[in-house]
Amino acid sequence: MKRNPDRVVIFDTTLRDGEQCPGASMGVREKLEVARQLARLGVDIIEAGFPVASAGDFEAVKTVASEVKGPRIAALARCVPADIEACAAALAPAGKRARIHVFLATSEIHRKYKLRKARSEIIRQAVAGVEYARRFCEDVQFSPEDASRTEPEFLAEVIRAVLDAGATTINIPDTVGYAIPSEFGSLIAYLFEHVEGLDRITVHVHCHNDLGLAVANSLAAVQNGARGIECTINGIGERAGNCALEEVVMALKTRQDLFRVQTGINTREIYRTSRLVSQLTGMMVQRNKAIVGANAFAHEAGIHQDGILKERSTYEIMKPEDVGIPGSELVLGKHSGRHAFRHHLAKLGFDLAEKELEEIYQAFIALADKKKHIYDDDIVALVQEHLQEIPPVYVLEYIHVISGNTAIPTATVRLRKENEILQDSACGDGPVDAALKAVDRMSGISGRLVDYSLQAITSGKDALGEVSVQVEFGDRVVSGKGSSTDIIEASIKAYINCLNRYLFLEGQGRKSPRRRAASGTGKTKRTSSRKRGTQVRRKKRNG
Ligand code: KIV
Ligand code: ZN
């Protein structure tokens, strides 16, 4: 892509690198919803997946390429023909907006231990990959994986070779989040100095957050001439994640005086996008997260509150409304009819089929019976809970708990499994533990809760509570969410959501020959160190 010195291209990889976050996988329908919202947000490029990795990834890229208008749609491939062909086929519906993104590791450590290839072989394979991708697509991006740990003169040599072979965008990844800003900025400057013609195309950077420096490194790269930033919503991604889109975009905007560049992002869509991604991936946003965390604009100290009341800019460098944080606006009540409800959903950006609308309306009426005030966030939670495409194998029908400081916590749970009604009771360390045990007894599948958090979605004593959990079933960890005005019910819903997701992923794994075919290439397994040490997770590994 031709370089525009005043404009930073935002390349969003939430659906590809972000989805590699442990437990964050999404289905096709969920990815499509995220992609539609990314288009509303104004990203320039959506990296929709890694088509060769699984049948599900292929389908997701193809669906996004055919349904989402506006941004370019990219997909990832190794420098091997089968990957590139899968990309080309999945991206075909995007026509001229398609981009094939090929990558190959270049650092000594990867050459020696992972690829077992000499420098000359790396150059040969990178060139062959780019040339082959150009046969299918005019827009080909090349990434030298682990660029920041590659010898700079060799990196420059690789880039010269792939530019000659027809690469139209070069991306410089800090794959393991090892670089620090001054060093990464200097690397970008070095490449501009030593690669003839690099200043005529857009150089991207792709930074991981292992040392918490992904945003800082991306900004340093911009100061040294990079004009494309690869990032994810809420910074989700492999290990400690990727550069957070909302942070890097707001840094560029807030410090325009320094950077003097624009992005095409409609910052007022940031908060909604963050909520959607959090809801659909089950990855909660920490309260003190910059830009989108619940505390990002909360002022606690008296001196600060006093300053804010006198003049906002004393303690606020951005306005909450600039990132689309909604006021606590009362929107609908139990007397609101279908028409008002549909109208309101459209205003929130949801375009739903008649049947879905009716189902969500019924859920809304049920909620309005329990909760006096219904806010935008309550409605978004209802819709997003409904949008999850995980087949509801188990559905919660009923829960009854006995608890208290002198009682043995006991729960009776009734589940529906297709046409069958199951009911069981169990005792536990608390009412939630008892209820989860009862669910395990009925499903015959034992899960281990590895993470649990509870957040109030809106304010007030009757606020909807949102529970996010991560549950380990065998060697698979899955995330899930549930919401209710009752936190025990929300907890069980979240757990059942994980159980259904687990059953869905197991089913997908069996149906997915691509995922199997890709194993042994380092792509279908990944290692992740969790509490109990290092374990192998059954998930694709790609960057
Ligand atoms: O982190 C990485 O190096 C990647 C590449 C595939 C761009 O994700
Ligand atoms: Zn990456």
Side-chain angles (χ1 to χ4, degrees), residues 16-17 76 101 103 143 145 171 173 175 206 208 542-543:
R16 199 277 297 170
D17 224 357
L76 187 71
H101 175 191
F103 76 101
S143 292
E145 191 189 11
N171 174 41
T175 302
H206 173 113
H208 278 268
N542 52 22

Side-chain angles (χ1 to χ4, degrees), residues 13 16-18 20 47 76 101 145 171 173-176 206-208 230 237-239 241-242 541-543:
T13 183
R16 199 277 297 170
D17 224 357
Q20 283 184 228
E47 188 165 45
L76 187 71
H101 175 191
E145 191 189 11
N171 174 41
D174 181 26
T175 302
V176 290
H206 173 113
C207 298
H208 278 268
E230 303 205 351
E238 187 87 61
R239 306 180 308 276
N242 289 54
R541 158 76 182 95
N542 52 22

Side-chain angles (χ1 to χ4, degrees), residues 36-92:
R36 285 193 171 129
Q37 180 57 28
L38 290 172
R40 281 193 282 269
L41 178 65
V43 307
D44 298 282
I45 305 163
I46 296 173
E47 188 165 45
F50 187 19
V52 85
S54 73
D57 252 32
F58 183 91
E59 206 42 48
V61 173
K62 194 167 163 206
T63 307
V64 170
S66 59
E67 301 288 319
V68 178
K69 308 292 171 230
R72 289 187 162 270
I73 311 296
L76 187 71
R78 292 166 302 174
C79 287
V80 296
D83 287 35
I84 294 167
E85 286 157 18
C87 266
L91 287 170

Side-chain angles (χ1 to χ4, degrees), residues 152 155-157 159-161 163 170 190-199:
L155 186 61
E157 196 182 334
I159 294 173
R160 268 183 232 116
L163 283 178
I170 298 293
Y190 172 91
L191 294 173
F192 276 111
E193 248 172 63
H194 291 84
V195 179
E196 162 72 30
L198 196 59
D199 54 355

Side-chain angles (χ1 to χ4, degrees), residues 13-26 175 206-210 214 230-246 277 281 283-284 289 470 526-528 530 537 539-543:
T13 183
T14 305
L15 300 180
R16 199 277 297 170
D17 224 357
E19 208 227 0
Q20 283 184 228
C21 194
S25 58
M26 287 177 267
T175 302
H206 173 113
C207 298
H208 278 268
N209 207 29
D210 298 67
E230 303 205 351
C231 44
T232 61
I233 301 297
N234 300 335
I236 64 169
E238 187 87 61
R239 306 180 308 276
N242 289 54
C243 172
L245 180 147
E246 61 281 1
V277 169
T281 57
M283 301 295 302
M284 217 189 79
K289 161 96 177 57
Q470 285 204 330
R526 74 165 146 193
T527 51
S528 155
R530 300 187 63 80
R537 299 164 64 88
K539 184 88 163 66
K540 57 188 185 272
R541 158 76 182 95
N542 52 22

